[in-house]
Short mmCIF file of all heavy atoms in Angstrom, two decimals:
data_model
loop_
_atom_site.label_atom_id
_atom_site.label_comp_id
_atom_site.label_asym_id
_atom_site.label_seq_id
_atom_site.Cartn_x
_atom_site.Cartn_y
_atom_site.Cartn_z
N MET A 2 0.80 -1.24 0.01
CA MET A 2 0.00 -0.01 0.02
C MET A 2 0.81 1.27 0.01
O MET A 2 0.53 2.23 -0.66
CB MET A 2 -0.89 -0.02 1.26
CG MET A 2 -1.91 1.11 1.29
SD MET A 2 -3.12 0.83 0.03
CE MET A 2 -4.03 2.33 0.14
N HIS A 25 -9.97 2.31 0.42
CA HIS A 25 -9.14 1.72 1.46
C HIS A 25 -8.99 2.66 2.66
O HIS A 25 -9.08 2.32 3.78
CB HIS A 25 -7.79 1.32 0.91
CG HIS A 25 -6.89 0.71 1.94
ND1 HIS A 25 -6.97 -0.62 2.30
CD2 HIS A 25 -5.92 1.23 2.69
CE1 HIS A 25 -6.09 -0.85 3.24
NE2 HIS A 25 -5.42 0.25 3.53
N CYS A 29 -9.46 1.79 6.51
CA CYS A 29 -8.21 1.47 7.23
C CYS A 29 -7.75 2.69 8.00
O CYS A 29 -7.29 3.66 7.37
CB CYS A 29 -7.15 1.02 6.22
SG CYS A 29 -5.59 0.60 7.03
N CYS A 32 -3.82 3.63 7.52
CA CYS A 32 -3.51 4.36 6.27
C CYS A 32 -4.16 5.72 6.24
O CYS A 32 -3.63 6.67 5.73
CB CYS A 32 -3.88 3.53 5.05
SG CYS A 32 -2.85 2.03 4.83
N PRO A 75 -0.91 -2.99 6.07
CA PRO A 75 -1.67 -4.23 5.88
C PRO A 75 -2.04 -4.33 4.38
O PRO A 75 -2.10 -3.32 3.74
CB PRO A 75 -2.87 -4.09 6.77
CG PRO A 75 -3.05 -2.57 6.87
CD PRO A 75 -1.66 -2.02 6.80
ZN1 ZN B 144 -4.26 0.34 5.13
#
Side-chain angles (χ1 to χ4, degrees):
M2 187 69 187
H25 180 82
C29 179
C32 289

